[in-house]
Amino acid sequence: MKEEMINIQDPILQLKDVSISYSPGKNAVKNIYADIAKNKITAIMGPSGCGKSTLLRAINRMHELYPDIKIMGEILLDGKNILKMNPMEVRRMAGMVFQRPNPFPTMSIFDNVIAGYKLNGISLSKSEKEEIVERCLTNVGLWNEVKDSLYKKGTFLSGGQQQRLCIARALALKPDVLLMDEPTSALDPIATNRIEELLLDLKQEFTIVIVTHNMSQAARISDYSMFMYLGELVEYDTTQTMFTNPKDKRTNEYLSGQFG
Amino acid sequence: MNNLTYRTFKDKLFFYLICTLASLTVVPLFAIIWELIQKGYKQINWSFFTETAPSTLDAMLARSTGDIIPGGIANGILGTLLMVIIAAIIAIPTGILVGIHLSEHPKTKFSNITRFITDLIQGSPSIVIGIIAYTWVVKPLGSYSAFAGSVSLAIMMLPLIVRSTEETLKMLPGSLKEAGLALGASYTSVVLKILLPSAFGGLFTGILLAISRVMGETAPLMLTALGSTAINWDVLEPSSAVPLLIWEFYNDPNLIDMIWSSSLFLLLLVLTLNLIAKRIARKWKIQ
Ligand SMILES: Nc1ncnc2c1ncn2[C@@H]1O[C@H](COP(=O)(O)OP(=O)(O)O)[C@@H](O)[C@H]1O
Ligand SMILES: [Mg+2]
């Protein structure tokens, strides 16, 4: 498995022989090669514990939170190796949405959207702020629901609304890629549905990499799919091929519900 | 059957026992407050807050004519306020920084030692803290002073603030920190702009409790602030404080009536601070 399993034209993100270990001698992610297509949705599937989150979090350097972690290989974003860049810069280029909605509890909806600017000490004029807030909330389909309560706390929203607020917060920094780690697993089916529709709209502007353990979700929204098992990238193909004609026995077993 | 009635009886007995014991603790509490109000309210008027403590002679004259004792405790109130404010200025930032360190790096050797020392300070008798402040501040500066008093109070406040900061920050979900970092924020700005504001309720409660805890301290002030009969704004001079005045009143038979009003005042002040702290704690409780 030395080479990419699928040829992607003009990739925005390239993983070259990426291995990640939390403790010496034990790799949670093993020798992954993959190119990720621009303005597409790429889903990462696999049973729990197979290394999906670990891989995703490497792409925006969230690993720095764990002291002993080691990443080997190269991760190129727009051709630049992010493992050699300043992590703060990387995180602005690769936005992240987490499993549980986590709006900042002390900030209003308005401030949550522009939190990335506030936290980075970037000052904006009042009209710039209003423009960003309206554009991003419109992007996530939340504008009409909250435009009259922009100065209320974000934590008063429903779970699905909170998650869309978190997506808006990530979009506000105009990231090159949007990384999502099971963003709908804490939401009800209706809220999940809304987010899926939203992602299909967002890929006009952004590249999305989404971890999901929900196969039908991957089938519904993604253009490309990866299947990981025990830290390895077992199969990577267009979603259509993966679901209709999987090449690896393990992918087939997973997709037919035999484990995971 | 018999067994059942016996058990019901036992339950009832236990219940009444608890009620009795509970009221045994509540009764003296109310008795104290009642006594303070009854004996102290007469003295609490405008001059109580604006005038300095009366001299023995004035008090004796007033007593002989059956008047209330003239004068007030303004020197004590000002001293207490000054010393508590300076103590807070020293202890709050220090305590919060140490608390942040303990919650962010809980397992380092430094943190373990710090935690041990905070426990030690918290468990120390306040007179010992007074002796420490005496050797650290009074001796080098060559005189008793309000500042020395502040240092002793600050040392007493520190462990409370450190611990409440640590505990509150630990209760915040890790996802908050992640969310901040994922937006490209520096670690410092995540702590200052996200974690601390989210922990505000807990921090504020801790601070108020620490303040109300040291407000009534007497022993350490005897060795540091000493006391003063005049209103004194100079923090390098000896200063009075409400609890110090109470102690002085106690030692002077002519001034004994002032004990009740001063104690009532101190009690109400501490009680109010406590109640506010509780309210804030409830209102800002982390969801
Ligand atoms: N913080 C951590 N420290 C040590 N090991 C971890 C940590 N997080 C995850 N792991 C291990 O790494 C492997 C992959 O975990 P993860 O990436 O969370 O899987 P997934 O997201 O696919 O469920 C698992 O075996 C897990 O036990
Ligand atoms: Mg995961």
Side-chain angles (χ1 to χ4, degrees):
Chain A
M1 249 183 295
K2 260 246 155 73
E3 277 308 303
E4 287 87 345
M5 298 172 199
I6 176 174
N7 196 15
I8 305 263
Q9 295 297 311
D10 234 355
I12 189 168
L13 186 64
Q14 295 171 281
L15 309 177
K16 290 187 193 280
D17 198 12
V18 176
S19 297
I20 304 168
S21 63
Y22 285 100
S23 50
K26 262 175 61 188
N27 284 356
V29 165
K30 297 167 191 159
N31 306 88
I32 290 192
Y33 285 91
D35 287 354
I36 286 169
K38 202 173 163 142
N39 289 83
K40 298 284 184 222
I41 299 180
T42 303
I44 306 179
M45 293 181 291
S48 160
C50 70
K52 307 181 295 292
S53 301
T54 305
L55 180 64
L56 194 75
R57 292 161 71 90
I59 301 174
N60 78 340
R61 301 278 300 266
M62 288 307 281
H63 289 111
E64 255 85 330
L65 297 177
Y66 308 113
D68 295 328
I69 200 151
K70 255 185 98 110
I71 311 179
M72 283 138 304
E74 286 182 358
I75 300 177
L76 306 180
L77 184 56
D78 284 330
K80 279 183 286 180
N81 186 358
I82 60 142
L83 299 177
K84 298 233 152 68
M85 287 166 66
N86 178 328
M88 290 190 260
E89 198 185 332
V90 175
R91 291 174 193 150
R92 264 171 265 171
M93 290 163 57
M96 185 155 225
V97 175
F98 297 86
Q99 197 164 348
R100 301 206 147 268
N102 52 4
F104 298 125
T106 54
M107 294 187 193
S108 64
I109 293 172
F110 189 95
D111 286 341
N112 259 290
V113 178
I114 53 167
Y117 293 91
K118 293 189 129 187
L119 293 172
N120 288 305
I122 302 168
S123 56
L124 298 169
S125 71
K126 192 160 178 286
S127 61
E128 280 173 315
K129 284 184 196 167
E130 283 166 355
E131 190 272 321
I132 292 173
V133 170
E134 179 167 353
R135 177 168 48 79
C136 295
L137 289 178
T138 310
N139 259 336
V140 299
L142 204 55
W143 178 250
N144 285 326
E145 292 162 46
V146 304
K147 64 171 187 270
D148 299 319
S149 46
L150 287 176
Y151 297 99
K152 284 198 191 144
K153 295 258 151 41
T155 38
F156 286 116
L157 299 172
S158 73
Q161 288 175 317
Q162 287 190 20
Q163 193 62 305
R164 280 184 280 150
L165 177 60
C166 293
I167 297 174
R169 181 175 68 186
L171 296 183
L173 288 166
K174 294 212 170 88
D176 294 333
V177 287
L178 191 57
L179 308 170
M180 309 182 105
D181 194 349
E182 306 193 17
T184 59
S185 64
L187 305 181
D188 61 62
I190 295 172
T192 299
N193 197 16
R194 286 216 57 174
I195 296 216
E196 289 179 2
E197 283 169 14
L198 165 66
L199 296 185
L200 291 172
D201 283 343
L202 287 176
K203 74 173 180 181
Q204 319 291 334
E205 269 185 83
F206 300 94
T207 303
I208 298 170
V209 181
I210 180 171
V211 165
T212 176
H213 60 208
N214 178 339
M215 281 176 263
S216 54
Q217 179 169 64
R220 279 193 299 271
I221 63 171
S222 70
D223 302 291
Y224 296 95
S225 294
M226 295 183 188
F227 172 66
M228 287 179 72
Y229 186 60
L230 298 177
E232 284 175 39
L233 179 57
V234 171
E235 190 156 351
Y236 179 25
D237 215 323
T238 61
T239 302
Q240 180 139 30
T241 318
M242 172 97 86
F243 277 84
T244 51
N245 187 17
K247 294 190 186 64
D248 196 285
K249 192 168 120 270
R250 290 166 293 178
T251 317
N252 195 17
E253 281 170 4
Y254 179 71
L255 292 176
S256 57
Q258 292 179 30
F259 56 78
Chain B
M1 270 306 142
N2 230 348
N3 189 21
L4 194 66
T5 36
Y6 172 67
R7 266 155 57 189
T8 327
F9 171 76
K10 223 168 59 173
D11 259 5
K12 277 225 168 92
L13 188 74
F14 187 63
F15 176 74
Y16 288 122
L17 193 70
I18 288 179
C19 289
T20 319
L21 290 177
S23 44
L24 272 182
T25 58
V26 171
V27 165
L29 196 73
F30 278 103
I32 290 171
I33 296 175
W34 178 241
E35 182 147 5
L36 284 179
I37 292 175
Q38 227 183 1
K39 295 185 173 167
Y41 84 97
K42 278 184 292 208
Q43 294 284 340
I44 296 187
N45 48 28
W46 182 243
S47 58
F48 182 77
F49 298 101
T50 56
E51 287 175 26
T52 55
S55 68
T56 311
L57 193 66
D58 290 342
M60 205 162 72
L61 287 176
R63 274 165 72 100
S64 64
T65 57
D67 285 340
I68 58 168
I69 302 175
I73 55 167
N75 50 336
I77 295 176
L78 180 77
T80 292
L81 284 184
L82 268 184
M83 284 191 274
V84 168
I85 287 172
I86 295 171
I89 291 173
I90 301 171
I92 291 171
T94 325
I96 288 181
L97 287 178
V98 175
I100 291 174
H101 184 92
L102 291 186
S103 90
E104 290 295 314
H105 309 279
K107 290 196 184 106
T108 60
K109 199 162 188 183
F110 179 79
S111 294
N112 286 334
I113 295 173
T114 312
R115 236 178 252 117
F116 177 71
I117 295 176
T118 29
D119 282 348
L120 203 67
I121 297 178
Q122 192 161 5
S124 299
S126 57
I127 188 84
V128 175
I129 309 279
I131 292 170
I132 292 171
Y134 176 84
T135 47
W136 282 2
V137 187
V138 176
K139 275 210 142 168
L141 290 184
S143 108
Y144 293 98
S145 64
F147 178 68
S150 302
V151 171
S152 67
L153 297 186
I155 298 174
M156 299 202 62
M157 285 171 76
L158 261 177
L160 297 169
I161 296 178
V162 168
R163 276 314 172 83
S164 70
T165 308
E166 185 191 358
E167 295 307 324
T168 319
L169 287 179
K170 269 191 184 157
M171 278 195 306
L172 295 178
S175 63
L176 269 185
K177 192 158 111 187
E178 277 188 341
L181 291 175
L183 289 170
S186 69
Y187 183 70
T188 319
S189 90
V190 169
V191 171
L192 293 182
K193 295 183 188 165
I194 297 174
L195 299 188
L196 280 188
S198 306
F200 176 80
L203 296 194
F204 202 74
T205 311
I207 289 167
L208 283 188
L209 289 178
I211 288 177
S212 71
R213 163 89 177 73
V214 301
M215 205 150 231
E217 273 305 330
T218 323
L221 295 186
M222 289 174 166
L223 302 175
T224 50
L226 193 65
S228 156
T229 50
I231 287 183
N232 171 34
W233 287 93
D234 186 347
V235 296
L236 293 178
E237 291 291 318
S239 167
S240 188
V242 179
L244 283 179
L245 281 181
I246 295 176
W247 171 243
E248 284 163 25
F249 295 151
Y250 172 79
N251 286 319
D252 189 330
N254 288 316
L255 288 171
I256 234 145
D257 284 353
M258 294 290 286
I259 289 178
W260 306 108
S261 47
S262 312
S263 305
L264 182 63
F265 171 74
L266 195 59
L267 188 77
L268 289 181
L269 198 64
V270 171
L271 207 64
T272 315
L273 277 177
N274 267 294
L275 288 179
I276 296 175
K278 293 265 157 62
R279 272 201 86 102
I280 289 174
R282 208 173 321 141
K283 197 164 160 217
W284 284 75
K285 209 165 153 188
I286 296 161
Q287 293 94 356

